[in-house]
Amino acid sequence: MSAVNRREFCLRLSTLSTTLMLPLDLHSQATMTARNRRHPVEPIKDTMTQAQRDARMAWWNEARFGMFIHWGLYAEAAGYWGGKTVPDRGEWIMNTARIPVADYKKLAVHFDPTKFDADAWTSMAKASGVKYIVMTAKHHEGFAMFHSAADKFNIVDATPFKRDPLKELAISCHRQGIRFGFYYSQDQDWTAPGGAARRGGHWDEAQNGNFAAYIHTKVIPQLKELLTNYEAEDAPVEIWFDTPTEDMTPELAGEIVALLNQHPNVLWNNRLGGGYSGDFETPEQHIPPQGFPGKAWETCMTINDTWGFKKDDRNFKSTVTLLRNLIDIASKGGNYLLNVGPDATGVIPQPEQERMLAMGKWLHVNGEAIYGTHAGPFPEEHGAYSATKKDKRGNPMWITVWDWRATAKGDKVYVSIFQWPDSTFSLPTMDAHVRRAYMLADPHQKALQVSQNESGIRLTLPAAAPDPIASVLVLETSA
Ligand code: H79
C-alpha cells in the first residue's frame, strides 16, 4: 500500500463514526431531507466518467486557497441602523433589525464606492497567494452587485455609482490569472416578493409572493445573465449557492440545474437545495477534524466575526491562526475560502489586507507544500477524540493538536512544523522510504540527517526554525 493509500484506508475505517459527529449546518439538513428524491434533471457531473469529473475539478483541487468577498448594501449600514449597533453578522442586518423593504432599498441611493479598484483587489489577492476569488453577486438582501436587466434593484441602475464591480473584477481576475466565481443567494431574498426568509419568516408585506415565481422571474434570469454576460475567458468558473430551504423543490432546483448543465465547466457547491449534492462540501466557519475523505470540500471562514463589513468588528484572526488553518485544511485535502468584507467606499479594510498579504509572504516561500498537494500520509497528526470530554452535542470532544501537518505531492511529503523541536524531530511510520530530507526555505536544500525504521522516522533539524509560524520539512520518498 502506498503512503497515501494507507491514510485513505485508515480514514475510511473511521468515516462511519466521525461523520455522525460533524456539526451539521442548517443547509446540510435541508439537503439531507431531500436527498433520496429522484433528480428531475441529472447534473453534468453525474453523467461524466471519473476521468472527466477529475479534469473538470482539476484547477479547484490544486488551488487550495481562495478569497471570498462579501460586498453589498450592508457594507454601507456597517452594523448600524437608526444610529444603533445591530448584533450578529453585518450582511444579516436587514433581517436582524427587521428593516422594512422600502427603507432598506434606500441604502442604494447613497451607495457610491468610488474608491473601488478591481485591479487593486486582484493584485492584493494575487500577492496573498490566492488562486480564485468568489464575490457576492447577490446576498440575502436581494441587491445585485452587477448590471441586471431582470431586476432594477442592482448597482448600475439603483445607485449613483452606476458601475458593474462584479464584471470589472471578472475582467481583472482574467488579466491577472486568477479564477473568478460568484456567490448567489438563490433561495433567501428579503427584498424580492416570494423570496425566502429564514429566522422568523417575512416581516414586511412587500415580501409576500410566490417562491416559484421569484425563481422564474429573478433567479433564473439573473443566473443566465451571470453565466453569459462575460466574454468566454472572463466567464465564471464557480457558483456558490447558499441556505436552501424546503421551498427549493427538486423540480425548481432541477430547472436551475438544466441551466447549469449548459455551462459544464462551472463548478457549484452543495447548497443549491432540492436534493442536489453539488461538486463540493462547504463546512462554514469550522474545519472538519478529519476532512471529508473521498470528497471535494472547502471551508469558508470569516477573517473577523462577520462576512459583510461591520465598522466595529475588530476581532481579526491572527496570521498564525489563518496560516495554521490553511495548512491544516490542505493536510486534509480541502480548500480554504477566506473572506474579506470591503467597506462602502470600496476598500478592503487594512487589517484584512495585512493578514492576507502576510499569508502570501509565507506562501511565496512555502507554497510548494500547499498548491497541487493532497492529504498527507500520516493519519495521526490532527488530534484525537477525547475519551472523557464531551462536546456541546454530547459526543466525544475533538481535541486538536497543533504540532505539525503533512501534505503530499508526487514522491514528496511536506511537513509543516508549528512547534519547533528542541533536538530530534520524530514522525510516525510511513510505508514509503525517505531518500532525502531538507528544509523548503533552505536555498541550498542541505540534506538533513534522517533515520527510519518500523516505529517511525527521526530527523535532526536545524537549531532554529526557519519560519516563526510554520517551517516546511520536505521528505523525498521512494516506494
Ligand atoms: O454568506 C455567509 C452567511 O451570511 C451565510 N453563509 C455565509 C457564506 C449564511 N446565511 N445563513 N447562514 C449562513 C446560516 C444561518 C445563520 C443564522 Fe443567524 C443563525 C441565522 C439566524 C441564526 C447568524 C446569527 C446570522 C444571524 C444571526
Side-chain angles (χ1 to χ4, degrees):
M1 225 187 290
S2 78
V4 174
N5 282 343
R6 191 181 154 272
R7 178 197 159 81
E8 278 168 8
F9 177 73
C10 294
L11 286 177
R12 224 172 288 142
L13 287 180
S14 59
T15 305
L16 207 74
S17 55
T18 56
T19 46
L20 295 172
M21 294 169 198
L22 294 174
L24 286 174
D25 294 331
L26 294 169
H27 61 86
S28 51
Q29 285 167 15
T31 309
M32 272 168 63
T33 48
R35 183 157 290 160
N36 294 328
R37 293 182 202 151
R38 276 194 65 82
H39 295 145
V41 179
E42 288 298 310
I44 208 98
K45 68 165 176 123
D46 289 354
T47 59
M48 284 178 157
T49 63
Q50 186 60 45
Q52 287 172 320
R53 263 201 290 277
D54 290 347
R56 184 168 168 268
M57 293 288 292
W59 75 265
W60 196 91
N61 284 329
E62 289 182 8
R64 287 291 166 263
F65 188 27
M67 185 169 87
F68 219 169
I69 303 176
H70 274 68
W71 199 34
L73 295 179
Y74 40 80
E76 190 174 317
Y80 280 82
W81 197 255
K84 293 203 184 84
T85 58
V86 178
D88 294 339
R89 303 168 208 164
E91 76 286 358
W92 267 75
I93 191 167
M94 181 183 179
N95 186 310
T96 308
R98 302 271 139 178
I99 301 168
V101 171
D103 293 348
Y104 192 83
K105 281 191 163 183
K106 282 186 200 136
L107 282 174
V109 178
H110 303 289
F111 193 68
D112 196 12
T114 49
K115 290 188 186 157
F116 169 70
D117 176 349
D119 284 333
W121 288 12
T122 311
S123 302
M124 193 279 287
K126 199 166 179 179
S128 306
V130 153
K131 299 294 184 190
Y132 62 112
I133 291 179
V134 180
M135 175 169 143
T136 46
K138 169 175 97 76
H139 204 269
H140 310 335
E141 64 176 1
F143 181 69
M145 292 295 283
F146 59 99
H147 195 200
S148 172
D151 191 296
K152 291 281 163 239
F153 190 43
N154 71 72
I155 190 159
V156 176
D157 294 323
T159 77
F161 189 51
K162 297 194 192 315
R163 277 161 58 189
D164 182 334
L166 201 70
K167 181 145 191 176
E168 289 181 28
L169 190 65
I171 291 167
S172 166
C173 282
H174 175 61
R175 275 205 213 111
Q176 298 201 43
I178 293 204
R179 313 255 176 181
F180 155 79
F182 61 85
Y183 168 109
Y184 189 92
S185 178
Q186 81 289 4
D187 198 313
Q188 293 200 71
D189 189 314
W190 306 327
T191 51
R198 278 192 162 179
R199 187 166 64 164
H202 292 150
W203 58 89
D204 182 336
E205 275 181 8
Q207 295 168 323
N208 294 346
N210 180 277
F211 184 76
Y214 153 72
I215 295 292
H216 291 139
T217 59
K218 185 164 181 180
V219 175
I220 290 176
Q222 286 198 332
L223 287 173
K224 268 187 197 157
E225 292 176 334
L226 286 164
L227 285 163
T228 52
N229 273 359
Y230 305 84
E231 300 297 323
E233 297 80 25
D234 311 325
V237 293
E238 167 174 329
I239 306 181
W240 220 97
F241 294 115
D242 207 0
T243 59
T245 66
E246 288 297 314
D247 292 341
M248 187 63 80
T249 60
E251 289 69 31
L252 285 172
E255 291 184 48
I256 293 172
V257 172
L259 170 63
L260 296 171
N261 280 349
Q262 294 170 26
H263 304 270
N265 293 327
V266 179
L267 309 180
W268 41 284
N269 69 356
N270 66 338
R271 300 193 184 189
L272 173 62
Y276 285 95
S277 59
D279 294 306
F280 54 94
E281 302 297 310
T282 54
E284 179 166 328
Q285 299 285 41
H286 70 95
I287 303 171
Q290 289 164 318
F292 284 90
K295 281 187 175 176
W297 63 279
E298 174 199 71
T299 280
C300 59
M301 199 180 277
T302 51
I303 201 163
N304 44 6
D305 293 325
T306 183
W307 301 92
F309 178 73
K310 275 184 97 169
K311 202 162 62 182
D312 297 338
D313 187 341
R314 313 276 308 168
N315 194 25
F316 300 106
K317 294 177 180 71
S318 67
T319 304
V320 174
T321 297
L322 296 171
L323 266 177
R324 282 188 180 186
N325 285 347
L326 173 65
I327 296 163
D328 185 30
I329 289 167
S331 80
K332 300 166 185 172
N335 283 1
Y336 195 25
L337 186 64
L338 182 57
N339 184 70
V340 296
D343 66 21
T345 71
V347 171
I348 297 171
Q350 206 55 38
E352 301 183 10
Q353 292 198 39
E354 280 165 19
R355 282 156 179 80
M356 295 296 301
L357 290 168
M359 294 178 79
K361 230 173 134 189
W362 185 87
L363 283 162
H364 185 71
V365 176
N366 300 294
E368 192 188 318
I370 303 294
Y371 306 123
T373 62
H374 47 84
F378 309 106
E380 298 94 343
E381 82 244 43
H382 302 105
Y385 287 102
S386 167
T388 50
K389 292 196 183 120
K390 305 273 183 218
D391 66 15
K392 276 182 260 165
R393 292 180 172 81
N395 297 316
M397 186 187 277
W398 174 263
I399 311 288
T400 301
V401 174
W402 289 109
D403 289 346
W404 53 271
R405 290 290 183 272
T407 57
K409 175 166 53 185
D411 65 355
K412 288 184 180 146
V413 173
Y414 302 91
V415 185
S416 296
I417 304 171
F418 307 127
Q419 298 296 335
W420 197 251
D422 280 339
S423 49
T424 312
F425 180 64
S426 304
L427 286 166
T429 185
M430 155 171 89
D431 288 351
H433 170 70
V434 180
R435 278 188 284 125
R436 207 167 83 86
Y438 60 90
M439 298 307 298
L440 188 55
D442 176 4
H444 308 294
Q445 302 194 347
K446 189 169 147 325
L448 301 169
Q449 208 182 317
V450 54
S451 65
Q452 183 175 14
N453 62 24
E454 298 284 278
S455 60
I457 305 163
R458 292 167 83 79
L459 295 115
T460 309
L461 301 181
D467 188 282
I469 299 177
S471 304
V472 178
L473 164 71
V474 185
L475 307 176
E476 283 182 359
T477 68
S478 52

